[in-house]
Amino acid sequence: MTDSDTERPSGSTGPTAHDKHGKHAGDTGASHAGDPVDALPVTETTASHQTMDPGAGKDARGPGGRSVTMARLADTGFFRVVGLVVVLLLIVIVGTITAGDRFLDADNFLTILRLSTAVGVVSVGMTFVITGGGIDLSVGAVLALSSVWATTVATQELAADTFWGVMVLTALGVGAGAGLVNGVLIAYGRVVAFITTLAMLVAARGLAEKISGQRTQIVSDVPGFYDFFRAKPLGVDMSIWLFVLVAVLGWILLNRTTFGRRTFAVGGNPEAARLAGINVRRHTVWLYVLVGACSGIAALMIVARTTTGSSTHGELLELDAIAAVVIGGTLLAGGRGTITGTVLGVLIFTMLTNVFTLNNREPSEQDLLKGAIIVAAVLLQQWLAARKSTSST
């Protein structure tokens, strides 16, 4: 699985008004002529077809002396994925050298995967928001609110005596509802995303404290709910399977659907997207509803793992999610995103935490290294963007 749609073809700065009339539809290879957004040059299909075109520019040299083949591989994000895999392997080597058998134990790797599930699911949703040109600082607080709501419902004998699905659906509804409020304020209220989601962060934490009475709500007996999450198909935790399912569905939604193409278009150039016939405001709302629902799913995972709902759940989760998304190659300015990179980013941070824990290192050292990695990733993004801009002129 590669995210070969993560960048526009070299030299492209985003969809143009010409796309409204489908003048470039033939160039993109889009087959959905009925939707103007399918003419936008941002699809994986387009990049893949260009890459697989036999002999096309085989030995040609593009701007800056790069071969056309290498340039196309760079456009597909191939080298970025390879780089992340190399980083992941380096962490494995460091963990093996410093922690030995404790790190290489199969149960330890399952623990790493299990700990990556909640932040991973939220990061998938965050990838959509950032690719669409926004940001959401409230995901951790929304997760806490959903977890408190789920455990509150469970203690009201509603879920236990009727159907545990009520608890699950309402918890997802709380997450999606918070995302809906964020999206409406940002898209129709024209409030800056940073301010809107920061306000939601404070409000959701406060509401969670109000509902729970600032207590950790313990719910250890919900028939059906724990049976589901404690199942281990093929010896692997259900939460890990859910993370895989969310990542795969996210990849398909971003790379193989009109919704994904619209997300790239809205994040790359909102005005051009509007001229191309996309309802930018409505699409923005859906992006925030999506990440809110992902926070609800993550909340249920944490309730299942800890048997608790608390207003303190998910603290600083937003930073971990944004960091994983940025490390994975999604552009903070919008217009480029990759689910594969995000998943690798989540695994890198979780494995790094595991190595630090096994070596009894201070959490402050871990945070310092994470901060350095994030800064390095952003600087690398800027350098690559400047290099690409120079080579295309």
Side-chain angles (χ1 to χ4, degrees), residues 211-228:
I211 294 174
S212 64
Q214 298 184 327
R215 292 180 292 105
T216 297
Q217 301 183 143
I218 302 175
V219 179
S220 57
D221 184 23
V222 181
F225 178 75
Y226 289 114
D227 293 338
F228 174 78

Side-chain angles (χ1 to χ4, degrees), residues 254-273:
L254 187 63
N255 299 321
R256 288 289 186 269
T257 67
T258 300
F259 185 89
R261 286 187 286 274
R262 288 176 176 172
T263 301
F264 285 117
V266 169
N269 191 330
E271 181 59 20

Side-chain angles (χ1 to χ4, degrees), residues 79-104:
F79 294 117
R80 189 180 308 109
V81 172
V82 171
L84 291 171
V85 172
V86 169
V87 171
L88 203 58
L89 291 176
L90 287 175
I91 296 175
V92 171
I93 293 173
V94 171
T96 304
I97 294 173
T98 58
D101 293 339
R102 291 182 300 160
F103 178 78
L104 292 175

Side-chain angles (χ1 to χ4, degrees), residues 29 33-34 65 73 77-78 107 126 140 162 175 198 210 237 255 272 276 307 333 335 360:
L73 282 175
F78 174 78
D107 288 339
M126 187 69 80
T162 55
L198 187 62
K210 183 72 175 175
D237 289 34
N255 299 321
T307 68
N360 298 317

Side-chain angles (χ1 to χ4, degrees), residues 21 39 67 95 103 131 176 181 236 274 283 296 300 344 354 364 379-380:
H21 307 290
S67 72
F103 178 78
T131 301
V181 173
V236 179
R274 186 185 66 79
H283 191 80
L300 294 170
L344 290 172
N354 182 260
S364 56
L379 290 176
L380 181 62

Side-chain angles (χ1 to χ4, degrees), residues 15-26 28 30-43 258 261-262 265 272-279:
T16 68
H18 294 291
D19 295 325
K20 178 182 179 182
H21 307 290
K23 289 183 178 180
H24 301 305
T28 62
S31 58
H32 305 281
D35 191 332
V37 74
D38 290 318
L40 299 176
V42 292
T43 67
T258 300
R261 286 187 286 274
R262 288 176 176 172
R274 186 185 66 79
L275 293 173
I278 299 173
N279 189 327

